[in-house]
Amino acid sequence: MSGHIISDGVAVFAGIVRAAIFRKRFPLAVVWNITYRCNCSCRYCGTSEMPAEELVTPQALSLMDDLAEMGTRWLTFSGGDPFMRVDLGQLVRRARHHKMHLRISTNGILLPDRISEVQSADAVSVSLDGPAEVHDAVRGNGTFRGALAGIEACKTANIKVNLKCTLGSHNLTVVDQVLEMARQLHLPVMFQPATSWLNFTSAEDPMAAEREAYRRAVEYLLDRKREGAPILNSAAGLRYLANWPEPADIPCFAGKLFCSIGPDGSFVACSTFQDAGLKASTDRSGSTRERFERASAAAYNCRQCWCAPLVEFNLALSMHAGAVLNALKVGL
């Protein structure tokens, strides 16, 4: 077990103590969609319909300074695709300056040409939804080849990388092929469902899976997890995700120890939930702390979390033994 993982575990425990005993809300973990621009047009995503406004580089760097002062330990750059920002390297360096655990979520296509800019990131998560014909049908021609090139660039540069697979009507029958690709690449893979709506919108998602077929696929993944397949989700996380889209209880730290930030600097307790009560505020006045507290005030347990990393985060922070052990084992 590496010292880095141990130090992250200490930070988790310290965050829980600070939140529970002192009743403090602070952004221990943040997912920041630094842009909604993307070089793919995935059929289950609605980022192309989102506003284009983004923080300029000095504003983004200043926001990271504020987050560090407030206690942010984990930071994920997501989107859109983060590599669409020309200043990504500067943002990465500032996050590492503050010793944040930094993960970048990407389609991988631009990685080979920008690998030096993210050399210091703790991990990169690359989307891979199946073999070439399945992946390209959803994301665009040549995107499978681009994802593999990005993965190889990370491996050559010794950057920790994992795969993320979105389960929908397009790929429930090829999960074994996804696991075999993960095995051949010597990489773990995290699974999560395509939502009932296009991501970031309330429009119907044409790729949402038929409920029972999806649940059978997740039950199958549970069996493979027990057999030692390279699956990043914990067994508890998979059991929770098997309920989607039905409500299911899970400890929720949105607005308490976690928040999301939009490209324009707007705060929201959790960007994966569609209810208006959790949507980002258009009021960006006041300090970073004040904007976080306004977002936190709207938080409540939605009971329908679909985002696998957040499911694992919530379970680990609630000290679920299986989730914590899984996180330590796979280095989440």
Side-chain angles (χ1 to χ4, degrees), residues 14 130 200 280:
F200 298 109

Side-chain angles (χ1 to χ4, degrees), residues 4 27 84 135 235 253 259:
H4 188 74
M84 297 299 289
H135 188 90
F253 292 88
C259 74

Side-chain angles (χ1 to χ4, degrees), residues 104-159:
I104 300 172
S105 180
T106 175
N107 57 43
I109 295 171
L110 298 177
L111 259 170
D113 293 333
R114 308 274 301 276
I115 197 70
S116 63
E117 300 175 39
V118 298
Q119 187 82 46
S120 63
D122 290 280
V124 172
S125 180
V126 178
S127 298
L128 195 70
D129 286 347
E133 62 275 13
V134 173
H135 188 90
D136 284 7
V138 174
R139 295 175 175 269
N141 291 335
T143 55
F144 177 81
R145 183 173 62 252
L148 290 186
I151 290 166
E152 289 304 318
C154 285
K155 294 172 73 173
T156 300
N158 293 315
I159 299 173

Side-chain angles (χ1 to χ4, degrees), residues 26-263:
F26 71 103
L28 176 65
V30 173
V31 172
W32 186 356
N33 297 310
I34 59 175
T35 181
Y36 285 134
R37 290 175 290 142
C38 191
N39 51 347
C40 286
S41 297
C42 302
R43 295 176 61 192
Y44 47 67
C45 184
T47 54
S48 62
E49 304 299 320
M50 299 299 289
E53 183 181 354
E54 298 175 7
L55 296 181
V56 297
T57 304
Q59 293 172 317
L61 296 175
S62 178
L63 178 53
M64 262 190 288
D65 293 340
D66 292 343
L67 291 174
E69 185 177 348
M70 292 168 64
T72 298
R73 180 59 184 266
W74 288 281
L75 180 63
T76 297
F77 288 152
S78 189
D81 193 273
F83 285 90
M84 297 299 289
R85 284 194 65 129
V86 297
D87 60 355
L88 179 60
Q90 292 176 263
L91 304 185
V92 169
R93 288 193 296 273
R94 184 61 62 92
R96 298 305 295 133
H97 168 76
H98 288 303
K99 296 181 172 57
M100 296 176 181
H101 182 100
L102 178 65
R103 179 178 294 271
I104 300 172
S105 180
T106 175
N107 57 43
I109 295 171
L110 298 177
L111 259 170
D113 293 333
R114 308 274 301 276
I115 197 70
S116 63
E117 300 175 39
V118 298
Q119 187 82 46
S120 63
D122 290 280
V124 172
S125 180
V126 178
S127 298
L128 195 70
D129 286 347
E133 62 275 13
V134 173
H135 188 90
D136 284 7
V138 174
R139 295 175 175 269
N141 291 335
T143 55
F144 177 81
R145 183 173 62 252
L148 290 186
I151 290 166
E152 289 304 318
C154 285
K155 294 172 73 173
T156 300
N158 293 315
I159 299 173
K160 182 178 178 181
V161 61
N162 70 268
L163 310 177
K164 185 162 63 177
C165 178
T166 299
L167 294 172
S169 58
H170 60 299
N171 64 354
L172 293 184
T173 61
V174 298
V175 291
D176 261 329
Q177 294 181 54
V178 174
L179 291 174
E180 178 58 21
M181 286 188 292
R183 187 191 65 78
Q184 291 180 2
L185 291 166
H186 304 287
L187 296 176
V189 55
M190 179 168 278
F191 293 89
Q192 66 184 26
T195 61
S196 302
W197 52 82
L198 290 177
N199 209 6
F200 298 109
T201 78
S202 57
E204 186 176 344
D205 182 357
M207 308 307 295
E210 188 277 325
R211 186 177 304 177
E212 291 307 314
Y214 162 75
R215 288 178 177 171
R216 286 194 298 270
V218 177
E219 291 294 336
Y220 178 75
L221 289 173
L222 262 169
D223 291 338
R224 295 300 308 276
K225 173 80 176 179
R226 297 186 188 103
E227 295 169 359
I231 298 173
L232 269 177
N233 311 67
S234 66
L238 286 172
R239 284 193 292 269
Y240 177 83
L241 289 174
N243 293 297
W244 176 262
E246 297 298 325
D249 288 321
I250 189 172
C252 180
F253 292 88
K256 302 169 187 174
L257 294 176
F258 164 81
C259 74
S260 300
I261 302 176

